[in-house]
Each structure stands twice: as structure tokens, then as C-alpha cells.
Amino acid sequence: QVQLVESGGGLVQAGGSLRLSCAASGSISGIVRMGWYRRAPGKQRELVATITSGSSTYYPDSVKGRFTISRDNAKNTVVLQMNSLKPEDTAVYLCNIVASTNNYWGQGTQVTVSS
């Protein structure tokens, strides 16, 4: 079974940076898009960033200008660079890969931003 493993989460002060990485344990064919979601305490899951197979990216206004998503198709990895972090960015960040026939999710990595 293909598994997604996230890494890079941690505790940082407001204004700091973190780099999250997601790697697939096995080969995934027919990837449509890769992305990151987050689930904050008391809030619903929300989309953070996506990148398609054609390298088109999307960011919601809440993170636009601060977060950058990138990928390495050969390695089936996706990275989220987070700068200028705010306390409201505190959440469990989940990696997501949508392929032609399957939708894969990681277990999540905790990001905590202190004020």
C-alpha cells in the first residue's frame, strides 16, 4: 500500500518559518495534483495549497504571499515552505495526493506557532 509521510512540523514563534515535506512510500502513477490541507483546533479542514501536474498552483487568501508549494514528480514528493507564520496557522497539516484512481492522505504533522 502507498503511504504518505509528512515531516518538518514543529514549534516556532510568530514570524518564523517551517518547511514541510511529504514523501510517498511507493510509486504513484497518474498524479493529478498534490497539496496540503490543515485542521486547526475547533475549525474545519481547509485547503492550504495545491499544485497540479501542469505546475499550476493555488493558495487561499489566508496564506497567499507567505506559503509556497513545490513538487518533485520523479520522487513523488511535495514541499510546503511556510514563512511569516502566524498563531492562526497553528494546525495539523495533512498531505494530499490525488491520482487518476486514488486519493491519498498522510497522517499529518503538527505545526504550532506561538505568540
Side-chain angles (χ1 to χ4, degrees), residues 27-109:
S27 178
I28 301 176
S29 61
I31 292 176
V32 177
R33 63 175 174 87
M34 310 171 84
W36 291 88
Y37 288 76
R38 68 186 181 187
R39 185 176 62 249
K43 296 184 177 181
Q44 295 180 325
R45 183 191 66 188
E46 66 174 336
L47 178 67
V48 176
T50 62
I51 182 167
T52 69
S53 60
S55 297
S56 297
T57 58
Y58 169 80
Y59 307 92
D61 290 341
S62 59
V63 308
K64 190 175 298 182
R66 300 187 298 119
F67 292 8
T68 302
I69 188 170
S70 60
R71 75 173 198 274
D72 185 335
N73 285 345
K75 298 180 179 180
N76 284 337
T77 60
V78 57
V79 171
L80 183 68
Q81 178 67 46
M82 305 185 294
N83 299 322
S84 301
L85 284 163
K86 305 174 181 179
E88 51 263 44
D89 294 319
T90 295
V92 173
Y93 284 71
L94 303 161
C95 178
N96 172 235
I97 297 180
V98 177
S100 59
T101 59
N102 287 290
N103 189 12
Y104 303 93
W105 290 91
Q107 293 298 307
T109 184

Side-chain angles (χ1 to χ4, degrees), residues 3-44:
Q3 292 182 327
L4 306 184
V5 180
E6 302 101 332
S7 62
L11 174 64
V12 299
Q13 293 183 333
S17 298
L18 284 174
R19 186 178 179 88
L20 306 183
S21 180
C22 173
S25 63
S27 178
I28 301 176
S29 61
I31 292 176
V32 177
R33 63 175 174 87
M34 310 171 84
W36 291 88
Y37 288 76
R38 68 186 181 187
R39 185 176 62 249
K43 296 184 177 181
Q44 295 180 325

